[in-house]
Amino acid sequence: MDAPQLTVTLPDGKAMNFARGATGADVAAAIGPGLAKAALAVEVDGKVWDLFRPFEGDARIRIITRKDPEALELIRHDAAHILAMAVQSLYPGTQVTIGPTIEDGFYYDFARDTPFTPDDLAKIEARMHEIVKQDVPTRREVWPRDVAIAHFQDMGETYKAELIRAIPEGEDVSIYYHGDWHDLCRGPHFTSTGRIGDAFKLTKIAGAYWRGDAKNAQLQRIYGTAWRDEKELAAYLHRLEEAEKRDHRKLGRELELFTFSPDVGAGLPLWMPNGMVIRQELEFLALQEERKDGYRRVATPHITKEALYYRSRHLPYYKEGMYSPFDIDGENYYLRPMNCPHHHLIYLATRHSYRELPLRIAEYGQDYRYEASGGLSGLMRVRGFCMNDAHIYCRYDQAKEEFIRVMHLHARYYDLMDIKEYYMRLSLPDLDKLDKYVDEPQKWLDALSIIRAAMTESGYPFVEATGEAAFYGPKIDFMIRSAIGTEYTISTNQLDFLATQTFGLTYIGEDGGEHPVYVIHRAPLGTHERFTAFLIEHYAGAFPTWLAPIQVRIIPISDKVADYAHQVKEALFATPVVNGTAGLRVDIDTTSERMQKKIRDAQLQKIPYMLVIGEREAAEGKVAVRLRSGKDLGAMPLDAFIARIKQEAETRHDFAEDAKG
Ligand SMILES: [Zn+2]
Ligand SMILES: [Zn+2]
């Protein structure tokens, strides 16, 4: 009697017969010894399986090797297990929780009372290499859910037991063993721990909360990266190093842009004079560009009575984002989380006819929002920020055109700052459940069609995402990728038809009747905090001349030229800059350091221009010009230099040869 058979079909259509119980490893071996060696996993009817897992019947299969796109994810998943194995062998009593793969690597969250140190990281990594060398075989078992819960509970792995409790009763769970060590896991995994190779590295330790909730137990997260080979790992580590050089927290410190103080509080930046220059220049840019588009400026207070936020529905719906109220003369006041309600009150302060719309009012408004302490990150995520805010009050028939105008404003900023790594996301509600978002679904759909039409007409590419919308209307998010690689929302445009109801915002139409106003919320330059953080990383701290905190450093060669050096400084200081908030920004290095050291210092400060002044320059009324890139432009008349830098500052465009750092 023939043994029962199964047929596997390969990607090229070739069919092969095997005895029942055959595995991906058997197929790879049957094809050839080279593939048997290279095989890491097998795709079975579209799902990636372990090489050692028996097929359940006929299947279309594909052998996965290191060259395949799935390989990295698999390597990282195995690496996460090996990390947990290493930690538990070195630090008995440590509990495992979860250990997913992430972009470029993996992490594992551990429950352990003693904090891991950088020394521990080195030990753990060494242990991981040992486990790889031991080439411990892997196997998969399937257990009933309740058996698994009892088993992990007995082991003292309470987090694992809790994870399994979340799985529906009656279901089975898969358990992966590497030797004796085992973990609840969906898999797949390699046949043995040696298969991942040695191209991995543990990168950092961070705090984390169980299930990401600050109310839960604090865990310790160990991050790692893993690649196909040493070359890929080295390339990644190099990228990481480059990214670290651009890290806005590091550059913010080195360039003295901003600081934080425990005496003030986490997430509350103190802007230093250099950083303030960037804020002011951005704000001045916004002032000019908004003026062209017909905006007018307002100023409103940072604190407000409770009742306004009930009216705006921030209370109770946004309560978790607001700080506790405080008492003034027996009434509750709040720090404001956003500026809209104040602007609405300005709109309401006068009557508006159809002729005077749109009304565009702008304010760089200071707001305070609660962010969990674990989520705070330099200027990127803060608890107090200043927003490039404005609200446009318009008629329904004007909304599309106004929206397009805002898109063009974004484009002008992005062109100016050479920002290319961005995309726009139209956030949609679940349209089938629209009545859950808002009482008047038709208004929502009308607003949506306005935004879609505006996006299509303006020609900017966008993606649509379901389930991200705010309840009061559809919005466009500008998603930006920082030089460090993180993606975040830099600004948002919203079309709001609900403010009419909550604030009674209307205008008097041609017919003499009251009509609802549409409100566009927009903040193209985001907040000063996040936008500056982005720009620091974008320019790697080497700001273009118009943004550079110090634009020129004068370096006198000796005391003999001190007078001339001061004349140069005065001339630059007094040079008006049409598109700048003040004149040119210049200083003199009067230290007694060697000239090479002075030049080096100016370069480290990423100052665009150094003017080296010796006796010859002083005699000829010239300056010797060096760029921070190291390029030497030679001696030129002071007037010529002033003309050059003035042009750069006023056009907000640097000459090409000053390559960005
Ligand atoms: Zn796993
Ligand atoms: Zn708003």
Side-chain angles (χ1 to χ4, degrees), residues 7-75:
T7 306
V8 299
T9 312
L10 301 171
D12 60 8
K14 196 176 151 203
M16 295 172 85
N17 291 327
F18 288 89
R20 289 226 163 252
T23 64
D26 296 332
V27 178
I31 294 171
L35 189 63
K37 226 175 138 201
L40 289 179
V42 57
E43 188 189 78
V44 182
D45 292 328
K47 292 206 175 79
V48 181
W49 277 23
D50 320 297
L51 273 184
F52 50 80
R53 182 167 167 187
F55 300 132
E56 288 165 0
D58 295 348
R60 301 192 69 85
I61 70 142
R62 179 172 64 97
I63 301 291
I64 294 168
T65 71
R66 261 185 148 64
K67 291 195 197 94
D68 289 302
E70 296 91 341
L72 272 176
E73 171 100 21
L74 293 167
I75 290 169

Side-chain angles (χ1 to χ4, degrees), residues 101-307:
T101 61
I102 50 173
E103 191 177 0
D104 299 331
F106 58 93
Y107 68 75
Y108 215 113
D109 285 350
F110 298 99
R112 177 178 183 242
D113 293 337
T114 320
F116 291 116
T117 65
D119 279 351
D120 292 335
L121 219 54
K123 269 186 225 150
I124 296 165
E125 196 178 292
R127 191 74 249 275
M128 287 174 72
H129 285 293
E130 282 169 33
I131 295 169
V132 168
K133 205 165 167 207
Q134 288 160 4
D135 202 17
V136 184
T138 302
R139 68 175 204 278
R140 176 178 183 271
E141 293 188 2
V142 177
W143 296 359
R145 168 190 178 271
D146 294 344
V147 170
I149 294 171
H151 175 83
F152 283 103
Q153 198 68 53
D154 283 353
M155 284 176 75
E157 295 282 3
T158 55
Y159 293 92
K160 278 288 163 194
E162 190 179 328
L163 287 174
I164 305 169
R165 269 190 212 100
I167 294 170
E169 270 183 62
E171 281 193 16
D172 290 340
V173 298
S174 56
I175 307 290
Y176 277 79
Y177 276 81
H178 311 286
D180 291 334
W181 190 88
H182 55 288
D183 195 2
L184 164 78
C185 177
R186 279 198 204 94
H189 282 283
F190 297 159
T191 46
S192 61
T193 55
R195 303 306 305 271
I196 70 165
D198 285 303
F200 60 84
K201 193 166 174 47
L202 298 182
T203 49
K204 65 178 172 188
I205 309 159
Y209 292 102
W210 171 235
R211 296 189 182 279
D213 188 337
K215 290 186 207 87
N216 290 341
Q218 176 130 39
L219 305 172
Q220 297 186 64
R221 177 171 298 175
I222 297 180
Y223 284 96
T225 186
W227 297 86
R228 292 183 178 88
D229 54 44
E230 294 291 340
K231 213 172 129 191
E232 276 188 2
L233 174 65
Y236 169 73
L237 293 176
H238 179 71
R239 277 207 308 281
L240 204 64
E241 223 172 87
E242 287 300 305
E244 267 164 29
K245 278 189 210 156
R246 285 176 180 253
D247 189 325
H248 81 277
R249 291 164 298 186
K250 178 173 173 284
L251 284 169
R253 228 173 11 249
E254 289 169 5
L255 304 179
E256 297 176 13
L257 299 174
F258 60 90
T259 186
F260 289 91
S261 163
D263 293 335
V264 174
L268 298 168
L270 302 168
W271 289 79
M272 299 166 82
N274 284 345
M276 193 61 194
V277 167
I278 294 164
R279 272 179 77 121
Q280 284 179 314
E281 289 291 347
L282 287 175
E283 194 157 345
F284 190 62
L285 171 69
L287 191 68
Q288 287 183 312
E289 292 299 323
E290 286 167 1
R291 187 170 176 273
K292 286 182 201 162
D293 278 355
Y295 291 80
R296 299 180 72 201
R297 287 225 146 187
V298 296
T300 54
H302 300 185
I303 64 170
T304 282
K305 280 189 195 172
E306 188 170 69

Side-chain angles (χ1 to χ4, degrees), residues 274-512:
N274 284 345
M276 193 61 194
V277 167
I278 294 164
R279 272 179 77 121
Q280 284 179 314
E281 289 291 347
L282 287 175
E283 194 157 345
F284 190 62
L285 171 69
L287 191 68
Q288 287 183 312
E289 292 299 323
E290 286 167 1
R291 187 170 176 273
K292 286 182 201 162
D293 278 355
Y295 291 80
R296 299 180 72 201
R297 287 225 146 187
V298 296
T300 54
H302 300 185
I303 64 170
T304 282
K305 280 189 195 172
E306 188 170 69
L308 185 66
Y309 293 122
Y310 276 108
R311 189 170 170 191
S312 69
R313 300 193 188 183
H314 286 106
L315 290 173
Y317 299 112
Y318 192 67
K319 199 173 184 2
E320 75 282 5
M322 295 169 68
Y323 292 100
S324 308
F326 48 94
D327 178 284
I328 300 179
D329 292 343
E331 288 200 73
N332 268 349
Y333 281 72
Y334 281 86
L335 283 170
R336 72 170 170 193
M338 44 189 86
N339 315 305
C340 332
H342 289 135
H343 289 188
H344 295 345
L345 294 181
I346 287 181
Y347 181 85
L348 285 174
T350 50
R351 276 165 63 87
H352 301 278
S353 98
Y354 67 96
R355 280 192 214 92
E356 65 188 81
L357 296 185
L359 180 76
R360 309 177 190 91
I361 57 176
E363 174 178 17
Y364 249 106
Q366 182 71 31
D367 301 315
Y368 297 89
R369 290 185 198 167
Y370 177 73
E371 285 277 352
S373 61
L376 299 173
S377 171
L379 288 183
M380 220 51 112
R381 277 191 191 281
V382 287
R383 287 176 167 169
F385 51 81
C386 193
M387 192 190 294
N388 171 225
D389 209 359
H391 294 90
I392 301 169
Y393 301 85
C394 65
R395 307 189 306 255
Y396 179 79
D397 64 289
Q398 296 170 322
K400 185 181 79 180
E401 192 188 322
E402 285 304 306
F403 207 86
I404 291 175
R405 195 191 296 269
V406 171
M407 300 300 295
H408 288 328
L409 178 59
H410 273 84
R412 296 210 293 279
Y413 290 140
Y414 287 16
D415 281 352
L416 173 65
M417 290 176 244
D418 203 24
I419 299 169
K420 296 193 177 81
E421 291 270 312
Y422 69 93
Y423 67 93
M424 294 169 216
R425 185 179 71 192
L426 171 57
S427 298
L428 303 172
D430 189 338
L431 292 174
D432 299 333
K433 297 180 192 144
L434 200 50
D435 51 346
K436 298 223 165 51
Y437 279 79
V438 63
D439 320 331
E440 295 174 90
Q442 191 51 46
K443 284 199 174 163
W444 221 106
L445 293 173
D446 289 347
L448 180 59
S449 71
I450 289 173
I451 292 198
R452 272 222 185 90
M455 292 304 293
T456 309
E457 260 180 58
S458 58
Y460 299 112
F462 65 102
V463 298
E464 300 200 0
T466 300
E468 297 272 349
F471 67 93
Y472 48 86
K475 58 173 183 166
I476 288 281
D477 287 320
F478 283 72
M479 306 303 296
I480 208 161
R481 211 176 161 78
S482 83
I484 306 252
T486 40
E487 185 181 283
Y488 51 90
T489 310
I490 194 95
S491 73
T492 297
N493 295 341
Q494 274 165 341
L495 185 56
D496 174 358
F497 54 85
L498 212 63
T500 292
Q501 291 166 30
T502 49
F503 278 84
L505 305 177
T506 58
Y507 67 92
I508 307 301
E510 227 170 328
D511 57 4

